[in-house]
Amino acid sequence: LVSAYVLSRFLFCLGTVGVSPHVLDTFAKLQNFAVRVIFGLSKFDHVTGARNSLGWLTIHQLARYRFHLLVYKAMCMSTAVYLWLDIADFVPDHGYAVRARDLRVPRTFGQHGENRFIVRALRAYNAYPDRDVWDLPLRDFSDAIRRWLIDS
């Protein structure tokens, strides 16, 4: 029920309007409460082990995971046209070239520029240690990103 009602609302908000750090923290508290209810934990018990046994990512990891999936889809041209047109200028051969080096991140001025999709997308690409993962099929890419987020 938690996945159906709480996390689905969060993912909807994340995909449509984005979320602020305050909203992420609020959803993290909701997720922790849900884990406590599921396992019958008290208010003072740690929820990390219980959450991991459910196979859930933390809310912050989930937000990064969804963003990495969006970047992947933009690089493979399988998302909205305006996203992959924005990223196509920075990815050689529209994402299918050999990626041996970091992609050039455009220079920004101020916080507004830092929050642009293209800046965040290129930084997400450059942050991932294994560049070959971007050439995998979506399911394998999804699993690799999930493992990387859990390990980091």
Side-chain angles (χ1 to χ4, degrees):
L1 291 173
V2 172
S3 294
Y5 291 113
V6 178
L7 293 179
S8 65
R9 298 288 184 212
F10 169 74
L11 295 176
F12 174 76
C13 293
L14 185 67
T16 56
V17 295
V19 290
S20 68
H22 175 70
V23 173
L24 280 177
D25 291 339
T26 302
F27 271 104
K29 290 175 187 175
L30 282 172
Q31 184 187 43
N32 290 343
F33 177 73
V35 170
R36 284 189 175 94
V37 168
I38 291 170
F39 285 96
L41 300 175
S42 74
K43 178 178 169 181
F44 303 104
D45 291 335
H46 290 283
V47 297
T48 305
R51 185 184 55 239
N52 291 344
S53 70
L54 289 172
W56 290 358
L57 295 173
T58 66
I59 293 295
H60 293 82
Q61 289 172 333
L62 187 60
R64 288 181 61 200
Y65 172 76
R66 295 288 292 213
F67 184 73
H68 276 82
L69 287 180
L70 184 62
V71 171
Y72 174 85
K73 291 177 181 179
M75 293 178 100
C76 294
M77 299 184 296
S78 63
T79 188
V81 173
Y82 67 91
L83 291 179
W84 65 261
L85 283 178
D86 198 15
I87 212 166
D89 295 335
F90 298 93
V91 179
D93 296 332
H94 301 286
Y96 295 105
V98 176
R99 297 180 180 90
R101 59 182 177 80
D102 287 349
L103 298 178
R104 183 180 56 85
V105 177
R107 188 173 177 190
T108 61
F109 300 98
Q111 189 62 35
H112 181 70
E114 291 291 320
N115 288 335
R116 286 180 50 212
F117 172 76
I118 187 63
V119 173
R120 292 180 57 219
L122 294 174
R123 288 207 171 118
Y125 173 87
N126 291 341
Y128 196 77
D130 181 14
R131 298 297 157 74
D132 295 333
V133 76
W134 295 92
D135 294 324
L136 293 173
L138 179 59
R139 181 177 297 276
D140 296 336
F141 174 81
S142 173
D143 292 342
I145 290 293
R146 188 178 187 87
R147 280 191 309 274
W148 176 64
L149 287 171
I150 289 172
D151 292 342
S152 63

